Amino acid sequence: MPTPAGHGQPKAHRFFWTVLAVSAMVSITGNATHAILYAPTMPAVAAAIAIVPPIALLPAVHSVAVLARAHTTARLTHLLATALTLLIALAAFRLSFTALRSLADSAGIPMSESWLFPIIVEGSMTQATISLLAFAHSGLRRRPPLLSPDPPPETHPPKASRHTKTRTVRTILKAILAPCTRRAPPNPTPRSGLG
């Protein structure tokens, strides 16, 4: 049985937010652990700096979703917010990749395979980000051209009651059938004319 469009969207939306949050927590923990273990000086400062990229991604993704739900900005704004969110995702991926790979090396994963750990963690974040951005933009496909503001809300004429519709149909039918149902005037009988 086919499901209506958008029926499973809330579950999918929650799923991708959960994937993003869990992978962000793994990335944050891995980045902070790496900074504390390997920072030559001030490990607390290094850990604070190392956790910024994965944390920054969460509000960036959420901001695009908020913009899409608000329906108050031009399409260009949505596209710029999405592009910046993707840039933040790529930057977070790159900055976390080195730390997570080094951490995997320290955990005894062979160097030839240690690059897979950050791919799994950061790849999950990137995939969830792209999916959530797709959800945010799914309602924008019916939007106006790139630089135009939102269209005015649609107004619908008030619904006619059943009786109004019936009267309207009767009126139309009477108007259409009137020529057919009119009686021809009687032929005047000629008068014999006495003057």
Side-chain angles (χ1 to χ4, degrees):
M1 179 162 103
T3 59
H7 177 67
Q9 189 168 348
K11 284 184 178 181
H13 194 260
R14 278 192 302 271
F15 170 77
F16 287 117
W17 266 112
T18 303
V19 170
L20 181 60
V22 169
S23 56
M25 288 306 301
V26 171
S27 181
I28 290 166
T29 304
N31 288 346
T33 302
H34 180 266
I36 289 169
L37 292 175
Y38 296 106
T41 59
M42 299 187 294
V45 173
I49 291 170
I51 66 172
V52 169
I55 290 175
L57 183 59
L58 298 173
V61 171
H62 185 63
S63 68
V64 174
V66 168
L67 272 175
R69 281 193 303 266
H71 296 293
T72 57
T73 58
R75 188 170 157 223
L76 181 61
T77 304
H78 290 280
L79 293 176
L80 288 173
T82 300
L84 288 172
T85 300
L86 288 174
L87 182 64
I88 291 168
L90 291 173
F93 182 94
R94 176 65 184 104
L95 290 173
S96 295
F97 186 89
T98 305
L100 294 177
R101 182 175 183 179
S102 177
L103 201 58
D105 288 338
S106 300
I109 297 174
M111 284 185 117
S112 61
E113 297 172 356
S114 62
W115 62 275
L116 293 172
F117 179 64
I119 290 290
I120 293 167
V121 174
E122 299 301 321
S124 296
M125 284 180 68
T126 304
Q127 185 264 348
T129 299
I130 291 169
S131 300
L132 288 166
L133 292 176
F135 277 122
H137 285 276
S138 64
L140 299 177
R141 289 185 180 30
R142 295 176 299 275
R143 299 294 286 234
L146 194 60
L147 294 175
S148 68
D150 286 344
E154 291 183 28
T155 56
H156 298 286
K159 288 188 174 181
S161 70
R162 184 175 76 89
H163 300 293
T164 305
K165 288 179 184 175
T166 305
R167 278 187 236 133
T168 305
V169 169
R170 283 185 191 152
T171 306
I172 293 170
L173 285 174
K174 282 181 183 178
I176 292 171
L177 298 175
C180 301
T181 58
R182 284 191 194 147
R183 294 182 188 200
N187 288 336
T189 52
R191 290 189 196 175
S192 52
L194 294 173

